[in-house]
Amino acid sequence: MSGKAHDHTAVLTQVRRLLPQDELLCDLGDLFKIFGDTTRIRILYSLFESELCVCAIAELLQMEQSAISHQLKILRSAKLVDCRRDGKTNIYFLADDHVRSIIGQGYEHLTEEEKK
Amino acid sequence: MSGKAHDHTAVLTQVRRLLPQDELLCDLGDLFKIFGDTTRIRILYSLFESELCVCAIAELLQMEQSAISHQLKILRSAKLVDCRRDGKTNIYFLADDHVRSIIGQGYEHLTEEEKK
DNA sequence: GTATCATATGAATGTAAGTTCATATGAAGG
DNA sequence: CCTTCATATGAACTTACATTCATATGATAC
């Protein structure tokens, strides 16, 4: 894109070799994008303690049931949560322990910056 | 927000006790939002191997220097990368090992889903 | 000083995405 | 059947945000 600049072909060929495929990098971005929303983070955190039905989450977060449903659909399509039917209600729960690890790492980054 | 629904006050009071403050949840969302962009992920991944100047990153990712600069500013304000002057160029590098851990956890989640 | 390279930045633009509203689906009870 | 509760979903609206373009800053060399 840029015109000719100072040379860094040496470093670049090495970095380029070790850079993952675009598809993986894209998938990673998409995954983290899902964690990048306060509502979804709050939903996931809620499910840390207990599985919950949709209206319980809505009540807990003081949000419309519809908004929660939309977000749960996104979380589900990313395989971060799953659900089962129980009569009229749908019970949602964490589908993956990576959710805890990922959020945990983020938490650590934040609290370490705090100390400085 | 919703009208009266079936009762879950019991679970909710417990979950509510263990739910972090809104400010922390918000900060977590903001942090992950930064990882939720392919360009920024690619920049971070590039810096896994070696520190790089702005125009090297731009050349590597085949993007405008301006776009890279804007994203580096965001990464820097989140304390994920840092930079130092070297003559006319600015050399950027990872500021934090959590970057590797966070991306690593995301990577594991993706590859595990792959297997299923 | 001036010229040039490397980078930063502000404004504008286009697009993605979260919430709301209205409504549809689906299950249980009468 | 019909009603009600729980949830899902599509459309519209609004805001956030990534990129581009033009330009400013900053450093080196002459």
Side-chain angles (χ1 to χ4, degrees), chain A:
Chain A
M1 290 296 171
S2 58
K4 56 194 172 306
H6 73 272
D7 189 48
H8 15 52
T9 34
V11 206
L12 286 195
T13 46
Q14 190 195 346
V15 175
R16 203 172 276 126
R17 256 207 312 273
L18 295 150
L19 203 63
Q21 293 180 336
D22 272 6
E23 194 193 336
L24 173 62
L25 295 168
C26 218
D27 288 347
L28 269 173
D30 288 343
L31 175 63
F32 286 119
K33 199 171 292 178
I34 293 175
F35 287 91
D37 175 78
T38 310
T39 300
R40 288 190 291 263
I41 286 279
R42 295 202 297 164
I43 291 175
L44 291 173
Y45 240 116
S46 307
L47 298 177
F48 274 24
E49 301 305 327
S50 165
E51 54 178 28
L52 293 168
C53 68
V54 180
C55 65
I57 300 175
E59 189 182 333
L60 178 65
L61 305 188
Q62 296 284 309
M63 291 179 63
E64 303 246 0
Q65 168 267 321
S66 174
I68 302 296
S69 261
H70 280 296
Q71 298 307 330
L72 283 171
K73 188 192 180 86
I74 293 173
L75 290 170
R76 221 186 143 193
S77 67
K79 309 278 183 70
L80 296 176
V81 308
D82 205 350
C83 73
R84 61 183 164 79
R85 266 275 175 194
D86 177 29
K88 283 183 290 186
T89 73
N90 267 1
I91 314 280
Y92 282 81
F93 48 90
L94 293 183
D96 193 317
D97 267 341
H98 289 133
V99 177
R100 283 191 171 84
S101 329
I102 293 174
I103 292 183
Q105 291 291 334
Y107 180 87
E108 277 187 35
H109 173 77
L110 285 182
T111 49
E112 257 189 39
E113 289 308 318
E114 200 79 7
K115 288 187 295 187
K116 293 170 188 173

Side-chain angles (χ1 to χ4, degrees), chain B residues 68-92:
Chain B
I68 303 296
S69 261
H70 279 297
Q71 297 307 330
L72 283 171
K73 188 192 179 86
I74 293 172
L75 291 170
R76 221 186 143 193
S77 68
K79 309 276 181 68
L80 296 176
V81 308
D82 206 352
C83 74
R84 61 181 165 80
R85 265 276 175 194
D86 179 28
K88 283 184 289 187
T89 72
N90 266 1
I91 314 280
Y92 282 81

